Amino acid sequence: MTLDEARAHIGAGVVYNPGHGRPEDGEIVGVSDLYVFVLFVGDRAPKATPPGALTLLARPTQPESLF
């Protein structure tokens, strides 16, 4: 993800992959010149996160009409 993508998706769910350990789910709450601020599940305050380590969560798709 880029900083511009993050700015366009404030409020969206993301997955943070630190490169070691388990990925974490969170929500974009802000973006600075260097970092994306993500509120991770179970945290009380957002954390500055490198944008390249984030992936947008897929939005649920609408079920296709059967008719």
Side-chain angles (χ1 to χ4, degrees):
M1 167 176 288
T2 67
L3 289 170
D4 288 335
E5 289 172 324
R7 282 186 190 95
H9 291 92
I10 291 175
V14 291
V15 175
Y16 169 58
N17 187 346
H20 62 283
R22 295 190 321 181
E24 294 183 65
D25 291 343
E27 178 183 327
I28 298 173
V29 296
V31 182
S32 74
D33 289 340
L34 295 175
Y35 294 104
V36 178
F37 291 90
V38 178
L39 182 60
F40 292 102
V41 174
D43 286 352
R44 291 183 167 191
K47 293 180 182 172
T49 310
L54 296 172
T55 304
L56 279 174
L57 286 174
R59 292 184 179 185
T61 58
Q62 295 292 330
E64 292 186 30
S65 174
L66 298 176
F67 303 100

